[in-house]
Amino acid sequence: MVTRNDYRQELFNGDVGIVVQDSTSNGLAVLFEEPAAEGGCRLVPAALVPEMKTCFALTIHKCQGSEYHRVMVVLPDRNSPILTRELLYTAVTRVSDEIDPETGNRHSGTLYLSATEMVVRQTIERQIRRTSGLRDAIEALNEIRILAHIDEGTRQLREGNFVEFDQDGLRNFFDEIQASGRRRYEECQKRS
């Protein structure tokens, strides 16, 4: 499996080939599928193939972005928190149609799924759930900033303070609002 793009050779990360003996040079070469080439394959001298690794099977994550005519997805016998609808979708969408190099006819790709019905159902029902808390913290901080701005503006209006700010005054005003928001954010963090 190619692990680094090589635009000159038109080989890309995730491309999979088979190492064979090149009958014309008696050296090693890698046979890659190429529907447009004669016989549907092209031979690249092994010395010209960029970084590569031996592989017998690929993880769903590793094959993301690649397509294959035949895909076998093997799921564990038991439910697992990493089995999600998105992961299964990524696996299923790796299947692509196959074009017969001799006739040009298109044939549907094939997906083989090895799993229990229960595991497939649970996988489809589970969506990725981000648990870092970063999104909630950012939303809370933004909400606090807005509330602080509104609170400060309302206080200024109630007190009849219609002051024209120069640039430094305006900067100080917003710094005060941010400091107020930061204090509220820290209070929220202590409560949660």
Side-chain angles (χ1 to χ4, degrees):
M1 178 180 67
V2 175
T3 59
R4 185 175 49 87
N5 294 340
D6 184 334
Y7 294 96
R8 285 189 314 230
Q9 295 297 326
E10 294 184 17
L11 294 172
F12 304 98
N13 186 20
D15 286 352
V16 178
I18 300 172
V19 178
V20 295
Q21 184 73 39
D22 184 357
S23 59
T24 58
S25 70
N26 288 326
L28 291 178
V30 183
L31 190 63
F32 289 97
E33 183 177 40
E34 176 94 21
E38 186 178 328
C41 295
R42 71 178 170 124
L43 204 56
V44 177
L48 296 180
V49 176
E51 295 173 26
M52 60 184 161
K53 290 184 178 180
T54 302
C55 72
F56 299 96
L58 298 172
T59 64
I60 293 170
H61 291 288
K62 192 68 176 171
C63 69
Q64 200 164 356
S66 299
E67 292 183 335
Y68 307 94
H69 304 307
R70 288 172 201 83
V71 173
M72 176 175 268
V73 178
V74 181
L75 298 178
D77 296 343
R78 300 186 302 261
N79 193 16
S80 169
I82 66 167
L83 297 177
T84 63
R85 173 189 315 204
E86 293 83 359
L87 186 73
L88 188 57
Y89 172 83
T90 299
V92 169
T93 56
R94 298 309 91 209
V95 180
S96 68
D97 290 346
E98 185 173 13
I99 298 175
D100 184 324
E102 292 177 18
T103 65
N105 293 337
R106 182 179 297 272
H107 303 285
S108 295
T110 307
L111 172 70
Y112 302 93
L113 181 59
S114 174
T116 65
E117 181 181 345
M118 178 193 71
V119 168
V120 172
R121 287 184 183 280
Q122 290 170 335
T123 298
I124 290 170
E125 289 171 6
R126 183 180 300 108
Q127 289 184 284
I128 290 178
R129 194 160 168 251
R130 308 284 182 209
T131 57
S132 70
L134 181 59
R135 178 182 297 176
D136 293 338
I138 290 171
E139 286 175 1
L141 185 57
N142 285 335
E143 188 175 312
I144 288 167
R145 283 182 179 154
I146 291 167
L147 290 174
H149 180 67
I150 292 170
D151 288 351
E152 183 61 23
T154 303
R155 187 179 64 75
Q156 292 284 341
L157 286 172
R158 272 196 214 122
E159 294 174 3
N161 295 336
F162 298 101
V163 180
E164 279 190 41
F165 290 107
D166 61 7
Q167 266 194 319
D168 289 333
L170 190 58
R171 191 173 299 119
N172 291 338
F173 176 71
F174 283 112
D175 287 346
E176 287 174 31
I177 291 172
Q178 270 192 318
S180 171
R182 235 183 264 109
R183 283 191 299 277
R184 285 187 184 186
Y185 174 72
E186 288 166 1
E187 289 169 14
C188 287
Q189 288 297 95
K190 287 177 188 174
R191 280 186 250 144
S192 59

